[in-house]
Amino acid sequence: MLFGLVTSRSGIVMTAVSATTDQPQLAYGNPVGEIAAQTVALVAAAFLCGVNLEHAAASVTNILFGGLLIGLLGMSLMAAFSPPLAVWAVHPASFAMVAFYLSGLWLIRGLRATLLAGRPHSGDAP
């Protein structure tokens, strides 16, 4: 996750600036190119280290983060094809996406804490 955060900070700024200067092709193409570059870097790391990263990164929280990403991408597509609306010069879907992302992080954090703590013991033998 740190790798994605470090490599995408400049892309977030670039996407925001290009979206505000009315260049939607650049605003959309930049994150897609970042994902491709990160994928190439991960493949190179797996090849050079000789580790199967699919098995090393397999966890329930990673699957949920993938689901959160798919949900956010779906919301952005729905916003792109919705009528042009603006609340304080921002599309209402932007507020919904921030709320969806923060609630998703909250749910995933709660699940991670539950998984780390294990199942509570009721005292009954199985």
Side-chain angles (χ1 to χ4, degrees):
M1 183 166 16
L2 181 63
F3 179 70
L5 178 69
V6 170
T7 58
S8 64
R9 283 184 17 202
S10 62
I12 292 170
V13 172
M14 174 77 171
T15 301
V17 169
S18 59
T20 57
T21 58
D22 202 23
Q23 296 176 335
Q25 295 85 4
L26 184 59
Y28 178 76
N30 189 42
V32 172
E34 285 183 9
I35 291 170
Q38 288 177 3
T39 303
V40 168
L42 287 174
V43 168
F47 181 73
L48 294 174
C49 296
V51 177
N52 187 348
L53 293 177
E54 291 175 354
H55 293 289
S59 71
V60 175
T61 54
N62 284 344
I63 293 171
L64 292 175
F65 275 119
L68 181 63
L69 176 64
I70 291 170
L72 288 168
L73 289 172
M75 291 177 76
S76 67
L77 281 175
M78 287 189 287
F81 293 109
S82 69
L85 300 171
V87 176
W88 298 305
V90 178
H91 196 282
S94 300
F95 299 116
M97 289 175 69
V98 169
F100 182 75
Y101 180 68
L102 293 176
S103 62
L105 289 180
W106 179 75
L107 289 171
I108 292 171
R109 180 184 299 156
L111 176 70
R112 184 182 304 163
T114 302
L115 291 175
L116 290 177
R119 293 185 178 161
H121 299 288
S122 63
D124 297 333

